[in-house]
Amino acid sequence: MSADVANELGIIYDPAIHLNMQSANGTVDRSLGLAKNVECTIGDLTFYLQIHILQSPAYDILLGRPFDVLVQSVVKTLSDDETTLTIMDPNTGILRT
C-alpha cells in the first residue's frame, strides 16, 4: 500500500518491521513498515490483512500472493472479455464470486 493511501485511511504502521520488495521491473524498494490487522471489506466479507507500506509504489494497494492464499482465490477466464474471481472467508467458509 502506498504511504499516501495509508495516511488518507488513517492506517498506522510499525516502522520497525520492514522488508525489501522487488517489483516486476526488477527494482527493489524497502518498505516503510508493516500495518498489522488492517480491516479490509470486500462485499460482505471482512478480512484482517498484514500490509506493507511503501513510499511511492506504482499502485495504491496491491493484494498479492499472501491474500490469494488467505482467501483461496480462484480466477476463471471465461472469454476474452469475462473473468471471474471467487474468494472464501477463511473463518466461515463462505464463498463469493
mmCIF file of all heavy atoms in Angstrom, residues 44-70:
data_model
loop_
_atom_site.group_PDB
_atom_site.id
_atom_site.type_symbol
_atom_site.label_atom_id
_atom_site.label_comp_id
_atom_site.label_asym_id
_atom_site.label_seq_id
_atom_site.Cartn_x
_atom_site.Cartn_y
_atom_site.Cartn_z
ATOM 1 N N ASP A 44 -19.582 -8.501 1.347
ATOM 2 C CA ASP A 44 -19.979 -8.733 2.731
ATOM 3 C C ASP A 44 -18.946 -9.559 3.506
ATOM 4 O O ASP A 44 -19.229 -10.043 4.600
ATOM 5 C CB ASP A 44 -21.356 -9.398 2.789
ATOM 6 C CG ASP A 44 -21.380 -10.776 2.131
ATOM 7 O OD1 ASP A 44 -20.441 -11.104 1.384
ATOM 8 O OD2 ASP A 44 -22.351 -11.523 2.362
ATOM 9 N N LEU A 45 -17.752 -9.716 2.941
ATOM 10 C CA LEU A 45 -16.679 -10.459 3.612
ATOM 11 C C LEU A 45 -15.659 -9.484 4.181
ATOM 12 O O LEU A 45 -15.273 -8.521 3.526
ATOM 13 C CB LEU A 45 -15.987 -11.406 2.636
ATOM 14 C CG LEU A 45 -16.858 -12.450 1.932
ATOM 15 C CD1 LEU A 45 -15.998 -13.307 1.011
ATOM 16 C CD2 LEU A 45 -17.608 -13.311 2.930
ATOM 17 N N THR A 46 -15.218 -9.752 5.402
ATOM 18 C CA THR A 46 -14.214 -8.903 6.049
ATOM 19 C C THR A 46 -12.992 -9.742 6.368
ATOM 20 O O THR A 46 -13.095 -10.841 6.917
ATOM 21 C CB THR A 46 -14.780 -8.281 7.341
ATOM 22 O OG1 THR A 46 -15.911 -7.474 6.996
ATOM 23 C CG2 THR A 46 -13.750 -7.416 8.029
ATOM 24 N N PHE A 47 -11.832 -9.189 6.013
ATOM 25 C CA PHE A 47 -10.548 -9.846 6.250
ATOM 26 C C PHE A 47 -9.664 -8.908 7.061
ATOM 27 O O PHE A 47 -9.819 -7.692 7.004
ATOM 28 C CB PHE A 47 -9.848 -10.161 4.918
ATOM 29 C CG PHE A 47 -10.712 -10.906 3.952
ATOM 30 C CD1 PHE A 47 -11.386 -10.237 2.940
ATOM 31 C CD2 PHE A 47 -10.868 -12.269 4.059
ATOM 32 C CE1 PHE A 47 -12.193 -10.912 2.043
ATOM 33 C CE2 PHE A 47 -11.678 -12.963 3.166
ATOM 34 C CZ PHE A 47 -12.336 -12.281 2.159
ATOM 35 N N TYR A 48 -8.728 -9.477 7.788
ATOM 36 C CA TYR A 48 -7.744 -8.681 8.518
ATOM 37 C C TYR A 48 -6.381 -8.992 7.920
ATOM 38 O O TYR A 48 -5.903 -10.118 7.997
ATOM 39 C CB TYR A 48 -7.821 -8.983 10.017
ATOM 40 C CG TYR A 48 -9.130 -8.489 10.573
ATOM 41 C CD1 TYR A 48 -10.259 -9.306 10.567
ATOM 42 C CD2 TYR A 48 -9.256 -7.188 11.020
ATOM 43 C CE1 TYR A 48 -11.474 -8.839 11.030
ATOM 44 C CE2 TYR A 48 -10.472 -6.705 11.482
ATOM 45 C CZ TYR A 48 -11.570 -7.539 11.487
ATOM 46 O OH TYR A 48 -12.774 -7.067 11.925
ATOM 47 N N LEU A 49 -5.805 -7.973 7.290
ATOM 48 C CA LEU A 49 -4.601 -8.157 6.487
ATOM 49 C C LEU A 49 -3.383 -7.511 7.137
ATOM 50 O O LEU A 49 -3.494 -6.514 7.841
ATOM 51 C CB LEU A 49 -4.808 -7.557 5.098
ATOM 52 C CG LEU A 49 -6.039 -8.031 4.329
ATOM 53 C CD1 LEU A 49 -6.144 -7.285 3.013
ATOM 54 C CD2 LEU A 49 -6.004 -9.526 4.112
ATOM 55 N N GLN A 50 -2.219 -8.078 6.851
ATOM 56 C CA GLN A 50 -0.934 -7.500 7.228
ATOM 57 C C GLN A 50 -0.423 -6.810 5.960
ATOM 58 O O GLN A 50 -0.211 -7.464 4.944
ATOM 59 C CB GLN A 50 0.046 -8.589 7.688
ATOM 60 C CG GLN A 50 -0.550 -9.623 8.644
ATOM 61 C CD GLN A 50 -1.381 -9.058 9.769
ATOM 62 O OE1 GLN A 50 -0.918 -8.210 10.525
ATOM 63 N NE2 GLN A 50 -2.618 -9.503 9.886
ATOM 64 N N ILE A 51 -0.251 -5.496 6.021
ATOM 65 C CA ILE A 51 0.036 -4.732 4.812
ATOM 66 C C ILE A 51 1.344 -3.960 4.955
ATOM 67 O O ILE A 51 1.516 -3.191 5.898
ATOM 68 C CB ILE A 51 -1.112 -3.750 4.500
ATOM 69 C CG1 ILE A 51 -2.414 -4.532 4.270
ATOM 70 C CG2 ILE A 51 -0.773 -2.882 3.301
ATOM 71 C CD1 ILE A 51 -3.625 -3.655 4.036
ATOM 72 N N HIS A 52 2.246 -4.162 4.008
ATOM 73 C CA HIS A 52 3.489 -3.397 3.981
ATOM 74 C C HIS A 52 3.227 -2.054 3.304
ATOM 75 O O HIS A 52 2.538 -1.980 2.293
ATOM 76 C CB HIS A 52 4.592 -4.168 3.251
ATOM 77 C CG HIS A 52 5.097 -5.310 4.070
ATOM 78 N ND1 HIS A 52 6.067 -5.151 5.028
ATOM 79 C CD2 HIS A 52 4.744 -6.611 4.102
ATOM 80 C CE1 HIS A 52 6.292 -6.306 5.606
ATOM 81 N NE2 HIS A 52 5.500 -7.219 5.058
ATOM 82 N N ILE A 53 3.791 -1.003 3.873
ATOM 83 C CA ILE A 53 3.607 0.359 3.382
ATOM 84 C C ILE A 53 4.872 0.778 2.634
ATOM 85 O O ILE A 53 5.977 0.624 3.149
ATOM 86 C CB ILE A 53 3.337 1.341 4.551
ATOM 87 C CG1 ILE A 53 2.212 0.828 5.456
ATOM 88 C CG2 ILE A 53 3.064 2.738 4.016
ATOM 89 C CD1 ILE A 53 0.882 0.633 4.772
ATOM 90 N N LEU A 54 4.681 1.313 1.416
ATOM 91 C CA LEU A 54 5.810 1.777 0.603
ATOM 92 C C LEU A 54 5.643 3.255 0.280
ATOM 93 O O LEU A 54 4.523 3.764 0.199
ATOM 94 C CB LEU A 54 5.897 0.976 -0.688
ATOM 95 C CG LEU A 54 6.325 -0.472 -0.433
ATOM 96 C CD1 LEU A 54 5.242 -1.412 -0.877
ATOM 97 C CD2 LEU A 54 7.622 -0.738 -1.113
ATOM 98 N N GLN A 55 6.753 3.938 0.074
ATOM 99 C CA GLN A 55 6.720 5.380 -0.145
ATOM 100 C C GLN A 55 5.982 5.771 -1.427
ATOM 101 O O GLN A 55 5.053 6.541 -1.392
ATOM 102 C CB GLN A 55 8.141 5.956 -0.178
ATOM 103 C CG GLN A 55 8.189 7.467 -0.292
ATOM 104 C CD GLN A 55 7.463 8.149 0.860
ATOM 105 O OE1 GLN A 55 7.739 7.866 2.015
ATOM 106 N NE2 GLN A 55 6.538 9.029 0.553
ATOM 107 N N SER A 56 6.396 5.276 -2.543
ATOM 108 C CA SER A 56 5.782 5.679 -3.818
ATOM 109 C C SER A 56 5.705 4.515 -4.797
ATOM 110 O O SER A 56 6.332 4.541 -5.855
ATOM 111 C CB SER A 56 6.593 6.819 -4.442
ATOM 112 O OG SER A 56 6.601 7.941 -3.615
ATOM 113 N N PRO A 57 4.899 3.490 -4.486
ATOM 114 C CA PRO A 57 4.787 2.381 -5.437
ATOM 115 C C PRO A 57 3.966 2.796 -6.653
ATOM 116 O O PRO A 57 3.315 3.840 -6.653
ATOM 117 C CB PRO A 57 4.063 1.303 -4.621
ATOM 118 C CG PRO A 57 3.239 2.074 -3.655
ATOM 119 C CD PRO A 57 4.056 3.301 -3.311
ATOM 120 N N ALA A 58 3.964 1.961 -7.669
ATOM 121 C CA ALA A 58 3.217 2.238 -8.897
ATOM 122 C C ALA A 58 1.725 1.949 -8.725
ATOM 123 O O ALA A 58 0.962 2.102 -9.657
ATOM 124 C CB ALA A 58 3.772 1.399 -10.040
ATOM 125 N N TYR A 59 1.306 1.561 -7.542
ATOM 126 C CA TYR A 59 -0.083 1.199 -7.250
ATOM 127 C C TYR A 59 -0.481 1.828 -5.917
ATOM 128 O O TYR A 59 0.358 2.269 -5.147
ATOM 129 C CB TYR A 59 -0.217 -0.333 -7.155
ATOM 130 C CG TYR A 59 0.859 -0.939 -6.282
ATOM 131 C CD1 TYR A 59 0.727 -0.971 -4.899
ATOM 132 C CD2 TYR A 59 2.038 -1.435 -6.840
ATOM 133 C CE1 TYR A 59 1.730 -1.490 -4.100
ATOM 134 C CE2 TYR A 59 3.036 -1.948 -6.035
ATOM 135 C CZ TYR A 59 2.875 -1.982 -4.665
ATOM 136 O OH TYR A 59 3.871 -2.473 -3.869
ATOM 137 N N ASP A 60 -1.791 1.863 -5.657
ATOM 138 C CA ASP A 60 -2.267 2.329 -4.348
ATOM 139 C C ASP A 60 -2.279 1.185 -3.349
ATOM 140 O O ASP A 60 -1.772 1.300 -2.247
ATOM 141 C CB ASP A 60 -3.679 2.922 -4.463
ATOM 142 C CG ASP A 60 -3.684 4.265 -5.181
ATOM 143 O OD1 ASP A 60 -2.659 4.978 -5.126
ATOM 144 O OD2 ASP A 60 -4.708 4.597 -5.785
ATOM 145 N N ILE A 61 -2.895 0.073 -3.752
ATOM 146 C CA ILE A 61 -2.964 -1.119 -2.903
ATOM 147 C C ILE A 61 -2.725 -2.333 -3.794
ATOM 148 O O ILE A 61 -3.328 -2.457 -4.857
ATOM 149 C CB ILE A 61 -4.339 -1.247 -2.220
ATOM 150 C CG1 ILE A 61 -4.615 -0.027 -1.340
ATOM 151 C CG2 ILE A 61 -4.427 -2.532 -1.398
ATOM 152 C CD1 ILE A 61 -6.032 0.046 -0.810
ATOM 153 N N LEU A 62 -1.868 -3.223 -3.351
ATOM 154 C CA LEU A 62 -1.573 -4.439 -4.109
ATOM 155 C C LEU A 62 -1.913 -5.639 -3.237
ATOM 156 O O LEU A 62 -1.322 -5.821 -2.177
ATOM 157 C CB LEU A 62 -0.095 -4.468 -4.504
ATOM 158 C CG LEU A 62 0.387 -5.702 -5.242
ATOM 159 C CD1 LEU A 62 -0.271 -5.794 -6.608
ATOM 160 C CD2 LEU A 62 1.898 -5.674 -5.389
ATOM 161 N N LEU A 63 -2.902 -6.414 -3.679
ATOM 162 C CA LEU A 63 -3.240 -7.652 -2.983
ATOM 163 C C LEU A 63 -2.510 -8.771 -3.709
ATOM 164 O O LEU A 63 -2.857 -9.118 -4.829
ATOM 165 C CB LEU A 63 -4.754 -7.885 -3.004
ATOM 166 C CG LEU A 63 -5.584 -6.819 -2.291
ATOM 167 C CD1 LEU A 63 -7.069 -7.093 -2.497
ATOM 168 C CD2 LEU A 63 -5.238 -6.757 -0.820
ATOM 169 N N GLY A 64 -1.506 -9.324 -3.087
ATOM 170 C CA GLY A 64 -0.650 -10.298 -3.753
ATOM 171 C C GLY A 64 -0.883 -11.723 -3.295
ATOM 172 O O GLY A 64 -1.972 -12.109 -2.860
ATOM 173 N N ARG A 65 0.156 -12.506 -3.396
ATOM 174 C CA ARG A 65 0.092 -13.939 -3.108
ATOM 175 C C ARG A 65 -0.408 -14.256 -1.697
ATOM 176 O O ARG A 65 -1.226 -15.170 -1.535
ATOM 177 C CB ARG A 65 1.472 -14.548 -3.348
ATOM 178 C CG ARG A 65 1.488 -16.032 -3.275
ATOM 179 C CD ARG A 65 1.012 -16.629 -4.589
ATOM 180 N NE ARG A 65 1.117 -18.062 -4.506
ATOM 181 C CZ ARG A 65 0.113 -18.893 -4.764
ATOM 182 N NH1 ARG A 65 -1.035 -18.427 -5.168
ATOM 183 N NH2 ARG A 65 0.265 -20.175 -4.658
ATOM 184 N N PRO A 66 0.041 -13.542 -0.659
ATOM 185 C CA PRO A 66 -0.491 -13.865 0.677
ATOM 186 C C PRO A 66 -2.018 -13.725 0.754
ATOM 187 O O PRO A 66 -2.689 -14.534 1.399
ATOM 188 C CB PRO A 66 0.213 -12.864 1.599
ATOM 189 C CG PRO A 66 1.485 -12.546 0.888
ATOM 190 C CD PRO A 66 1.113 -12.554 -0.579
ATOM 191 N N PHE A 67 -2.563 -12.710 0.069
ATOM 192 C CA PHE A 67 -4.023 -12.547 0.025
ATOM 193 C C PHE A 67 -4.657 -13.709 -0.715
ATOM 194 O O PHE A 67 -5.657 -14.281 -0.257
ATOM 195 C CB PHE A 67 -4.393 -11.217 -0.644
ATOM 196 C CG PHE A 67 -5.875 -11.020 -0.771
ATOM 197 C CD1 PHE A 67 -6.625 -10.613 0.316
ATOM 198 C CD2 PHE A 67 -6.517 -11.251 -1.978
ATOM 199 C CE1 PHE A 67 -8.003 -10.442 0.212
ATOM 200 C CE2 PHE A 67 -7.883 -11.080 -2.100
ATOM 201 C CZ PHE A 67 -8.632 -10.679 -1.001
ATOM 202 N N ASP A 68 -4.095 -14.091 -1.865
ATOM 203 C CA ASP A 68 -4.623 -15.216 -2.642
ATOM 204 C C ASP A 68 -4.672 -16.490 -1.805
ATOM 205 O O ASP A 68 -5.634 -17.254 -1.874
ATOM 206 C CB ASP A 68 -3.772 -15.471 -3.890
ATOM 207 C CG ASP A 68 -3.958 -14.414 -4.961
ATOM 208 O OD1 ASP A 68 -5.023 -13.760 -4.976
ATOM 209 O OD2 ASP A 68 -3.040 -14.240 -5.776
ATOM 210 N N VAL A 69 -3.631 -16.721 -1.023
ATOM 211 C CA VAL A 69 -3.572 -17.922 -0.179
ATOM 212 C C VAL A 69 -4.610 -17.840 0.934
ATOM 213 O O VAL A 69 -5.332 -18.805 1.201
ATOM 214 C CB VAL A 69 -2.158 -18.119 0.390
ATOM 215 C CG1 VAL A 69 -2.132 -19.223 1.432
ATOM 216 C CG2 VAL A 69 -1.173 -18.430 -0.734
ATOM 217 N N LEU A 70 -4.708 -16.670 1.586
ATOM 218 C CA LEU A 70 -5.656 -16.491 2.689
ATOM 219 C C LEU A 70 -7.086 -16.774 2.246
ATOM 220 O O LEU A 70 -7.833 -17.470 2.928
ATOM 221 C CB LEU A 70 -5.561 -15.064 3.252
ATOM 222 C CG LEU A 70 -6.578 -14.701 4.329
ATOM 223 C CD1 LEU A 70 -6.292 -15.474 5.619
ATOM 224 C CD2 LEU A 70 -6.583 -13.209 4.583
#
